[in-house]
Amino acid sequence: MKAKGLTVLLVEDQTELAKNIIQYLESRGHVVDYASDGKQGLDLALSQPFDVIILDIMMPKMDGLQVCAHLRNESVKHLPILMLTARDTLDDKVTGFSVGADDYLTKPFALEELEIRCIALSRRHLLQTDNKINIGSLIIDRQTKQVERDGKTVNLNAMNFNILLFLAQAYPQVVSRSELCQHLWGDDPTESDSLRSHIYQLRQAIDKPFSEPLIKTVHGVGFTLLEHQKSI
């Protein structure tokens, strides 16, 4: 049985690239709406339901980072956003994640990978349509970027929030180290200790002040979250 196609909003000012993306996705059974600038894209995103938004960063009238920030502030539901960009530095990705991007794809890219990323984003958000994710005593607000555990606010930087959000959206599945690295840095090389350092920082904030650990290491595989009920 063929999977149901996605309803996709493409916001991209490069006409030829947009044409290629639309033709490919529609040939795969997806429905694509199109905007050639950020302002038009924001208006469409707020007025119609979409499974995924493909959003370029460098655009006229309003860039992708501004569009993403407005969507996170104004949309009642969490709309999965895949950023397209020629920028591939870590700082650019941290900026994108900090305003609410869910995933990144650096140009040039294969259309097959674009489709796979869109499908994965849609599936991750299928059961989490609200801005808040609740896993036991853990509450993550994707709109405000606020995290609570056991009723206490947990302060996280943009990278650690993104790691926690990725694990929460995959819950109860285990996220492999390679999946996490791909999500955070794409195909860009990074130091082998970078992920270990970020996980350590996240544990210091989300686990150390509490009696039970939230992040579980599955040796040889990756990481997952444990559900703990709020203490009374």
Side-chain angles (χ1 to χ4, degrees):
M1 180 178 171
K2 187 176 179 181
K4 179 180 179 292
L6 302 175
T7 301
V8 179
L9 172 61
L10 172 64
V11 189
E12 168 63 66
D13 67 321
Q14 296 181 30
T15 306
E16 284 302 311
L17 176 58
K19 181 179 178 181
N20 290 338
I21 292 173
I22 292 169
Q23 287 180 341
Y24 180 80
L25 291 179
E26 289 186 341
S27 74
R28 300 286 294 170
H30 308 293
V31 176
V32 184
D33 208 340
Y34 172 63
S36 59
D37 65 68
K39 179 64 170 61
Q40 182 186 23
L42 178 60
D43 291 342
L44 282 172
L46 291 173
S47 64
Q48 301 178 37
F50 293 99
D51 296 314
V52 179
I53 298 174
I54 302 173
L55 181 61
D56 189 27
I57 284 188
M58 300 299 291
M59 288 185 300
K61 297 186 180 180
M62 183 181 289
D63 68 35
L65 296 174
Q66 292 173 309
V67 173
C68 187
H70 276 284
L71 281 174
R72 292 301 179 238
N73 288 329
E74 299 173 32
S75 178
V76 176
K77 298 294 185 179
H78 185 87
L79 302 170
I81 296 175
L82 171 63
M83 285 280 196
L84 297 183
T85 179
R87 300 173 176 176
D88 57 2
T89 69
L90 179 58
D91 286 344
D92 288 325
K93 292 181 178 180
V94 169
T95 301
F97 287 134
S98 69
V99 296
D102 295 289
D103 200 1
Y104 250 96
L105 195 54
T106 305
K107 300 176 182 177
F109 52 83
L111 293 173
E112 292 88 345
E113 182 177 3
L114 176 66
E115 183 193 20
I116 289 170
R117 296 280 191 98
C118 287
I119 292 172
L121 275 180
S122 176
R123 286 175 177 171
R124 282 215 308 263
H125 290 272
L126 188 60
L127 299 178
Q128 295 285 0
T129 55
D130 293 329
N131 280 314
K132 290 187 178 181
I133 298 177
N134 290 44
I135 302 175
S137 64
L138 176 69
I139 301 174
I140 303 173
D141 191 318
R142 292 182 283 200
Q143 186 174 36
T144 64
K145 303 291 189 301
Q146 292 183 334
V147 176
E148 288 185 9
R149 185 178 177 192
D150 209 15
K152 300 177 181 178
T153 299
V154 179
N155 296 314
L156 300 176
N157 61 32
M159 181 62 80
N160 289 336
F161 177 86
N162 188 42
I163 293 172
L164 181 63
L165 180 60
F166 192 71
L167 294 175
Q169 289 173 160
Y171 176 84
Q173 297 177 334
V174 177
V175 175
S176 70
R177 292 176 182 271
S178 61
E179 286 176 324
L180 198 46
C181 286
Q182 176 68 34
H183 173 68
L184 297 174
W185 297 293
D187 297 324
D188 298 332
T190 185
E191 297 179 7
S192 59
D193 288 338
S194 292
L195 180 60
R196 184 180 297 110
S197 175
H198 288 303
I199 292 292
Y200 173 80
Q201 292 173 11
L202 180 58
R203 280 185 161 134
Q204 289 294 104
I206 204 79
D207 281 349
K208 189 175 181 181
F210 302 92
S211 60
E212 296 178 289
L214 179 70
I215 302 170
K216 177 183 178 182
T217 298
V218 181
H219 293 289
V221 183
F223 307 95
T224 188
L225 297 181
L226 300 173
E227 181 177 353
H228 300 295
Q229 297 305 315
K230 182 177 179 179
S231 60
I232 301 175

